[in-house]
Amino acid sequence: MIEIICNDRLGKKVRVKCNPSDTIGELKTLIAAQTGTDASKIILKKWYTIYKDKISLEDYEIHDGMNLELYYS
């Protein structure tokens, strides 16, 4: 299990525990369950990289304690 911190820079910081083999889409559903927003409206970024739903966290080399930027569409 790894823990990922997602910050939307509007005062909401979410800590999510998931497996490295989970996809970005599954991570978005976990974030949506905590924030109450729709998972299809969540966009995860790191700098200028927009993470795609079907690729796993270990393929993106997302590790324990990493911070991601949380945006809403």
Side-chain angles (χ1 to χ4, degrees), residues 46-61:
K46 183 73 172 183
W47 284 84
Y48 294 105
T49 305
I50 299 174
Y51 294 120
K52 301 193 185 315
D53 287 352
K54 302 211 185 272
I55 300 175
S56 70
L57 300 176
E58 57 193 358
D59 289 339
Y60 274 125
E61 297 179 1

Side-chain angles (χ1 to χ4, degrees), residues 11-51:
K12 193 177 291 185
K13 189 181 263 190
V14 181
R15 294 177 168 265
V16 181
K17 290 193 182 268
C18 57
N19 293 319
S21 59
D22 289 347
T23 63
I24 295 292
E26 293 169 344
L27 177 63
K28 284 182 182 180
T29 57
L30 292 172
I31 294 169
Q34 287 189 12
T35 60
T37 60
D38 190 17
S40 63
K41 296 196 177 288
I42 293 175
I43 299 170
L44 294 175
K45 286 185 181 181
K46 183 73 172 183
W47 284 84
Y48 294 105
T49 305
I50 299 174
Y51 294 120

Side-chain angles (χ1 to χ4, degrees), residues 3-7 13-16 65-69:
E3 184 176 61
I4 298 169
I5 300 133
C6 299
N7 189 359
K13 189 181 263 190
V14 181
R15 294 177 168 265
V16 181
M66 191 165 173
N67 292 313
L68 297 178
E69 299 165 8

